[in-house]
Amino acid sequence: KSGRLSLREPPEARFGPRPKRFDPIAEIRNNWSLRSSSFRHALRLGVATAIAGLIASAIHLVRGYWIPMTVVIVLKPNFGGTLERAVQRIIGTVLGALVAAVLLLVLTNPWLLLAALAILAFATFALRNRSYTLFSLAVTPMVMLMLDIAHPISVTDSFLRIAHTIIGSFLALLSGYLLFPMWESRRLPLHIAEALRAEAVFLRALRDAMCGKKDRPISEYRRDASLAVSNAATAGQRLLSEPPNRRGDVESSLAAVNYCRRILHALAAISDYPTREPIQLESDDLTRLIDALAKALDDLAASLEKGTDPGRLADSSEILERLEKDLQIARHDFQKVSDVPVGNPKSNEAQAWLFYHLKNVYNLTLAAREAVSRLIRSEVRSAA
């Protein structure tokens, strides 16, 4: 009410643009297209739920509302997530329905039913973030006991719950496969491209920091690159859960993700050094090498987005050879001559340390280029 901020603003908040407020109308307008995964999933969920409701109504199933309810719970934006959730839901429901049937047969006293219901309710909320299988195992007998307390039911209702859950899960899987599918094999290259581009930005930020320029904290660039690589790795895991005929070239895709992760580790190691001791770039070759590596990462990202074969990397081998030769000469000069040390061993150590990390990034970028090239060629063959 006083108009002052209730929380202290961190120093990093002054960097970068301010986040915009959420506008629901603009969000709907931006996603009003079949190219939007959210819009496609909304259509898929609406159609699948309507079909499930029509089936339950047309056949006049007892407690048929469990079928559309299962579709709403199981159906996910990606097929791999739907398959995983369907398996967890079926296993948990089958085991939970059996537990409910045993409790309904054994516990005839209403007070015992209420005590069992309290225990199951506690287990449901305790396990909801642990494992969806265990959550389903607890919530199914809880719901069955609640129904029995409100209006006595029979053991048959437990088996109806199993049958309706299986029908709803099958409808969800069928809808995820047939209705507006967006396979991970098409989206994963875009995630890899975002990771490579974020690493290029991270690399240029490291160059600026070493040269004394610092517009934003290095931790923000590292966090952005880590998030992009994590998204690519998660997409790669989703790819493995999709049907084999929809996965594309899995080996090349996962190899590209792995090289992105290793490049990030190398850049993170470089970013950690200036926090302990500054590096002074005495040679322009190091700056040129960093620029060439960043451009190579940007080119790989553009190739993945456009679906074109990546060209040759910017020729950095000559720069690497000159740097390595200069380091060998400097190392020789640092040796004691007539018991008098020459040069600055501490500065040379930092230069050598930085050079070998950048050389590792260069080798990983070459390997990533080969994986990206194989991935694009496989996409071209599958499209033909």
Side-chain angles (χ1 to χ4, degrees):
K1 293 181 180 179
S2 64
R4 292 182 298 178
L5 294 175
S6 58
L7 297 176
R8 180 177 296 178
E9 187 177 67
E12 293 82 0
R14 67 180 183 271
F15 300 99
R18 291 282 180 178
K20 296 181 180 179
R21 288 188 175 184
F22 178 76
D23 186 353
I25 303 300
E27 193 74 15
I28 293 173
R29 188 186 303 115
N30 293 335
N31 285 278
W32 196 260
S33 170
L34 282 175
R35 290 178 296 178
S36 168
S37 59
S38 299
F39 184 70
R40 294 159 75 103
H41 181 60
L43 287 178
R44 183 187 306 117
L45 187 61
V47 173
T49 307
I51 293 174
L54 288 174
I55 291 175
S57 300
I59 308 178
H60 303 290
L61 296 175
V62 178
R63 305 191 190 279
Y65 58 85
W66 280 335
I67 297 178
M69 183 186 70
T70 301
V71 171
V72 171
I73 294 174
V74 169
L75 189 57
K76 298 297 177 184
N78 59 297
F79 183 82
T82 303
L83 178 61
E84 180 182 9
R85 181 55 61 91
V87 172
Q88 293 173 343
R89 182 78 180 183
I90 291 174
I91 294 175
T93 300
V94 169
L95 297 177
L98 294 177
V99 171
V102 172
L103 291 177
L104 291 175
L105 288 174
V106 174
L107 304 179
T108 57
N109 190 320
W111 293 105
L112 293 178
L113 286 175
L114 286 173
L117 179 61
I119 295 173
L120 290 172
F122 175 82
T124 298
F125 283 93
L127 298 172
R128 60 178 178 173
N129 293 326
R130 285 286 182 178
S131 169
Y132 189 77
T133 303
L134 296 177
F135 170 77
S136 299
L137 193 154
V139 73
T140 299
M142 184 188 74
V143 171
M144 302 302 295
L145 291 188
M146 290 173 64
L147 292 174
D148 185 71
I149 292 174
H151 186 276
I153 62 175
S154 63
V155 178
T156 307
D157 290 273
S158 297
F159 296 99
L160 284 177
R161 173 91 176 190
I162 295 175
H164 293 166
T165 299
I166 293 175
I167 294 173
S169 299
F170 177 75
L171 283 175
L173 287 172
L174 197 62
S175 302
Y177 190 85
L178 298 178
L179 299 178
F180 321 110
M182 185 173 288
W183 302 109
E184 209 61 50
S185 58
R186 295 185 179 181
R187 302 178 62 185
L188 181 56
L190 300 180
H191 287 295
I192 298 174
E194 291 177 4
L196 292 171
R197 188 162 281 117
E199 288 173 343
V201 174
F202 185 18
L203 191 53
R204 292 190 178 97
L206 289 174
R207 175 205 59 194
D208 293 340
M210 293 172 192
C211 295
K213 305 174 184 177
K214 193 174 181 181
D215 295 332
R216 293 172 58 196
I218 291 297
S219 59
E220 290 192 10
Y221 294 100
R222 182 171 58 225
R223 181 191 60 202
D224 293 343
S226 301
L227 178 61
V229 173
S230 177
N231 289 338
T234 304
Q237 292 299 319
R238 289 197 299 263
L239 179 69
L240 294 176
S241 60
E242 292 186 344
N245 61 327
R246 297 291 185 177
R247 295 177 187 172
D249 191 349
V250 178
E251 182 180 356
S252 299
S253 300
L254 297 184
V257 172
N258 184 48
Y259 288 128
C260 286
R261 186 186 292 111
R262 293 177 62 184
I263 290 172
L264 175 64
H265 292 166
L267 297 181
I270 296 174
S271 69
D272 182 59
Y273 192 87
T275 62
R276 293 185 277 112
E277 187 174 349
I279 299 176
Q280 299 296 328
L281 297 181
E282 299 176 358
S283 171
D284 291 337
D285 282 338
L286 278 174
T287 304
R288 284 195 289 270
L289 177 60
I290 292 175
D291 290 336
L293 291 175
K295 184 179 183 304
L297 293 174
D298 280 334
D299 291 342
L300 287 178
S303 299
L304 283 167
E305 291 173 344
K306 298 176 182 177
T308 58
D309 192 60
R312 291 185 57 190
L313 266 64
D315 193 7
S316 306
S317 57
E318 295 182 1
I319 301 177
L320 287 169
E321 290 177 3
R322 286 200 304 269
L323 285 172
E324 192 165 13
K325 187 180 298 183
D326 292 343
L327 288 173
Q328 290 175 353
I329 294 174
R331 189 181 297 111
H332 181 267
D333 292 340
F334 288 147
Q335 294 176 355
K336 292 183 179 181
V337 180
S338 301
D339 297 329
V340 179
V342 181
N344 186 353
K346 199 171 186 180
S347 175
N348 184 70
E349 180 184 354
Q351 293 274 349
W353 176 88
L354 177 60
F355 164 75
Y356 286 115
H357 272 294
L358 290 175
K359 185 177 180 181
N360 183 33
V361 173
Y362 174 76
N363 293 331
L364 291 172
T365 305
L366 285 176
R369 179 193 174 278
E370 293 300 323
V372 168
S373 181
R374 292 198 307 269
L375 178 59
I376 293 176
R377 284 199 297 266
S378 68
E379 289 181 352
V380 171
R381 286 196 301 268
S382 61

